[in-house]
Amino acid sequence: MEEPEAFIDRTLRAEASEWRTWADGDASVGGLRVYGASVGAVRGVVRDALRRYRGMTHDETVALASQLWRTPVFERRLAAVVLLQSRVETLTGNDLTRIEGFLREAGVPALIEPLSVDVVRPLLARLTGAEAERAERIVARWAHADAAGLRSAAALLSERRLR
């Protein structure tokens, strides 16, 4: 059977629209290449992958997210975010390090916001005790980070807590 990363990449490419790529101008978003697949198509591809590869463990899920993120293509990185959104209940405080790396490299609000609001926020809400305290220190550090994506994430998380 085809590996999950290869399945997702192949399917994203098949979902690409030449028109959408041209509409994006130079076929890049925030320095990332663009296949031209819609957000809905990306969500559908991840949903199909989760059905096809049932029973992925936590480690397999975060490894797949990292594999998808590694290639600087917007739809692949969005698929990594959607994968983490879909499996957020399996994430632990230790996954914040990986997510921090994603936020450092995200470069565009379309990746930063869902990572912050739909992945980090529910993760933080679930943590307790020492793990919660550690996570809060990490996120507080993001507010003063050299990476704009981390500062944006910290601001989004702070905004949401105030509401």
Side-chain angles (χ1 to χ4, degrees):
M1 183 185 283
E2 185 177 32
E3 292 294 318
E5 177 192 10
F7 170 79
I8 291 171
D9 189 71
R10 179 181 54 76
T11 310
L12 287 173
R13 288 173 188 267
E15 291 288 338
S17 159
E18 197 171 306
W19 174 85
R20 191 170 283 107
T21 302
W22 288 340
D24 288 334
D26 63 359
S28 70
V29 172
L32 301 172
R33 285 181 303 142
V34 175
Y35 287 162
S38 70
V39 172
V42 173
R43 291 188 178 287
V45 168
V46 172
R47 184 180 56 243
D48 292 348
L50 287 171
R51 280 192 205 123
R52 184 176 181 150
Y53 302 97
R54 290 186 193 280
M56 276 197 306
T57 66
H58 163 270
D59 291 349
E60 291 167 335
T61 300
V62 294
L64 177 55
S66 291
Q67 290 167 345
L68 291 167
W69 194 273
R70 188 178 9 233
T71 303
V73 173
F74 176 77
E75 289 88 349
R76 285 178 58 100
R77 289 187 173 185
L78 183 58
V81 173
V82 172
L83 177 63
L84 293 176
Q85 288 171 326
S86 301
R87 302 294 303 270
V88 71
E89 73 282 352
T90 69
L91 300 178
T92 69
N94 291 332
D95 295 316
L96 279 175
T97 303
R98 185 179 316 256
I99 295 167
E100 180 174 331
F102 292 171
L103 288 165
R104 278 187 182 282
E105 298 175 352
V108 293
L111 296 172
I112 295 167
E113 185 169 337
L115 263 174
S116 304
V117 175
D118 300 332
V119 178
V120 176
R121 183 178 55 164
L123 172 58
L124 293 176
R126 236 186 36 256
L127 298 178
T128 59
E131 191 176 36
E133 291 172 18
R134 178 182 166 271
E136 288 295 333
R137 283 193 306 274
I138 290 169
V139 172
R141 187 185 71 232
W142 293 355
H144 308 288
D146 58 350
L150 289 173
R151 290 191 308 273
S152 295
L156 285 165
L157 292 165
S158 177
E159 245 177 58
R160 301 287 182 182
R161 282 192 210 123
L162 295 175
R163 288 186 189 162

